[in-house]
Amino acid sequence: MTIDQSPDDGSAGRRRLIEAGVTLGPGVRAWLGANVRIGRDVTIGAGTVLAADTLTLGDGVTIGENCDLRAGTLFLGDAGELQDSVTVLVADAFEIEGGGRIESGTRITCRSFQADRLLYLGQGTSVGYGGTTASTSHVVLGSRVAIGPHSILNANHPIILGDQVGSGSHLTVWTHGFHFGHRLLDGYPATFAPVRIERNVWLAYHATVLPGVTIGADTIVAAGSVVSRSLPAGVLAGGVPAAVKRTLDPRPPRGAEAHRCVDALLDDWIAELQWKGLTAERTADGGIDVGDGHRVLLVTGDTGPDTVNAHAAGRRAFHLLTVEDRPDLRPWTGRGRTLFELRSGRLTGGLDGIGHDLRDFLRRNALPCGDQLPFRSLPVEGFARLAALTRKPTTTGSGR
């Protein structure tokens, strides 16, 4: 069934959201079809508009203030987060799997938009800039795709990004281009073609990708480059136009070397925690004590469950890091007990504030773990105090 087209100011849909247990801010309006599924602990900020034939909001979804979300099918997976003033106008389906975050001021207009888990679209990103209401306007993003702020995805034709594609700010991807002064019949053909970027590609600050380009897996594109022709996998490319500079030959650290790399990073994390006003220090037995009763431990491959249990005894929360996978330690995890398996990026167990901060620190140092939740860190007191001076409540309680 489609959206009810009878005269309505959006209050009927608002009532349906209230009945589903959503926490609403003032002025929320909604026009909804028959198919509505709402999870637990969903929050929608003041002044937001929803319109969908089919609406699914998973557990823990947060939608900020003054968003305008309109799609035939609107799907936000568990723990998804849309910040303030996000605009979505998608004729078919707008679907984001769990753990995604779209930052404030992002605008999306296309026929369909699909993203796998842990999407990140930075502040002020735009899917649009001409021709994106065409029948060919599709965006398909893999898991852990992270697009930097103020980027443009011009999806007049399909844009397909593989798993773990990332970019700096001001990325531009174009699938069409024309100019009235250079006409087809004067010998200047317009360019309309899809763009495909394979898994694990990094596009640095202000990179531009032109119509018809394919970029192979694991390639790095240097800042300021204009990619006008396809690039192979596993290379460093740069320039205007972008050309292959060299083949990449990564040498992953193993054994004791890998352990030392991670251990050195943890010293930097201790310094950041201290900057945030927490007590954090190394202990004689090789752990890190944080705050009141939190312990962090980086273990080697031969560290057994008995040693782990000894470190965890009497702790409010315990966060365990291993370089390689340790399936034998996964049953030990649970509430307040977390296992970070860094090589594979696997995360098991529950996270508290310290655990979230550790996870975000690891992400910023190219060791992302887990794809169930957006990344977040503990606030810095000085910044938080100043920001709070003008902060206003975003909700008025459940259904009010």
Side-chain angles (χ1 to χ4, degrees):
M1 180 179 291
T2 59
I3 298 169
D4 184 0
Q5 298 292 325
S6 59
D8 179 21
D9 61 1
S11 59
R14 177 184 174 84
R15 287 193 297 272
R16 292 176 66 185
L17 294 173
I18 291 171
E19 291 166 0
V22 178
T23 299
L24 298 180
V28 172
R29 297 176 294 151
W31 290 263
L32 306 174
N35 300 316
V36 175
R37 296 182 180 179
I38 306 292
R40 297 168 296 175
D41 302 320
V42 173
T43 301
I44 301 176
T48 284
V49 169
L50 295 175
D53 299 322
T54 299
L55 174 69
T56 302
L57 302 177
D59 293 344
V61 164
T62 301
I63 299 173
E65 295 185 356
N66 300 314
C67 293
D68 192 328
L69 312 177
R70 309 181 191 217
T73 295
L74 182 61
F75 178 96
L76 300 177
D78 292 348
E81 178 184 346
L82 273 59
Q83 296 183 354
D84 295 348
S85 302
V86 171
T87 299
V88 170
L89 181 62
V90 173
D92 290 350
F94 178 79
E95 300 175 317
I96 298 178
E97 295 295 335
R101 172 180 289 159
I102 299 180
E103 291 198 334
S104 61
T106 294
R107 303 176 65 88
I108 298 172
T109 301
C110 56
R111 180 176 176 180
S112 70
F113 185 99
Q114 296 175 301
D116 209 335
R117 300 188 67 84
L118 214 65
L119 170 70
Y120 171 78
L121 294 182
Q123 182 180 24
T125 291
S126 178
V127 177
Y129 276 74
T132 58
T133 60
S135 64
T136 51
S137 179
H138 303 285
V139 177
V140 180
L141 310 178
S143 64
R144 295 185 175 186
V145 168
I147 303 300
H150 307 295
S151 294
I152 297 170
L153 303 180
N154 171 243
N156 177 260
H157 279 247
I159 293 176
I160 302 171
L161 308 185
D163 294 345
Q164 301 188 144
V165 168
S167 83
S169 65
H170 295 87
L171 168 71
T172 54
V173 178
W174 300 98
T175 63
H176 89 298
F178 78 97
H179 171 55
F180 289 148
H182 294 86
R183 303 190 305 163
L184 176 66
L185 296 181
D186 291 335
Y188 299 98
T191 304
F192 296 84
V195 167
R196 177 183 292 271
I197 301 175
E198 304 291 349
R199 63 178 285 117
N200 297 337
V201 168
W202 171 251
L203 302 147
Y205 168 76
H206 227 300
T208 299
V209 181
L210 297 183
V213 162
T214 295
I215 300 177
D218 302 307
T219 281
I220 296 174
V221 177
S225 300
V226 177
V227 185
S228 58
R229 295 183 180 179
S230 294
L231 296 172
V235 300
L236 171 65
V240 182
V244 174
K245 303 300 182 183
R246 63 180 174 88
T247 299
L248 299 173
D249 184 23
R251 311 244 174 144
R254 301 287 178 184
E257 181 187 4
H259 189 92
R260 286 193 298 270
C261 287
V262 175
D263 198 48
L265 283 178
L266 292 176
D267 284 333
D268 294 337
W269 182 55
I270 290 172
E272 288 301 304
L273 290 174
Q274 292 169 347
W275 159 237
K276 294 176 179 181
L278 281 79
T279 58
E281 58 185 6
R282 297 275 189 173
T283 62
D285 57 1
I288 300 172
D289 281 345
V290 181
D292 182 17
H294 294 77
R295 169 63 65 94
V296 176
L297 181 68
L298 172 64
V299 302
T300 60
D302 58 359
T303 302
D306 290 343
T307 301
V308 171
N309 284 327
H311 277 271
R315 305 291 176 180
R316 286 179 55 198
F318 187 72
H319 307 294
L320 191 64
L321 294 87
T322 69
V323 172
E324 309 299 342
D325 278 3
R326 290 291 304 273
D328 59 311
L329 295 178
R330 291 172 195 162
W332 164 90
T333 61
R335 186 172 181 178
R337 293 186 169 196
T338 312
L339 174 64
F340 295 81
E341 296 172 88
L342 300 177
R343 182 84 66 185
S344 65
R346 186 184 181 107
L347 176 69
T348 313
L351 291 172
D352 60 1
I354 299 296
H356 276 292
D357 195 86
L358 175 58
R359 178 175 177 248
D360 189 61
F361 176 84
L362 292 169
R363 184 267 310 173
R364 288 187 285 111
N365 286 275
L367 290 171
C369 289
D371 57 7
Q372 303 95 331
L373 298 167
F375 292 96
R376 67 175 188 263
S377 61
L378 294 171
V380 177
E381 182 179 353
F383 290 115
R385 177 182 62 83
L386 295 170
L389 294 175
T390 56
R391 187 171 296 141
K392 59 185 179 180
T394 57
T395 64
T396 58
S398 181
R400 291 177 172 80

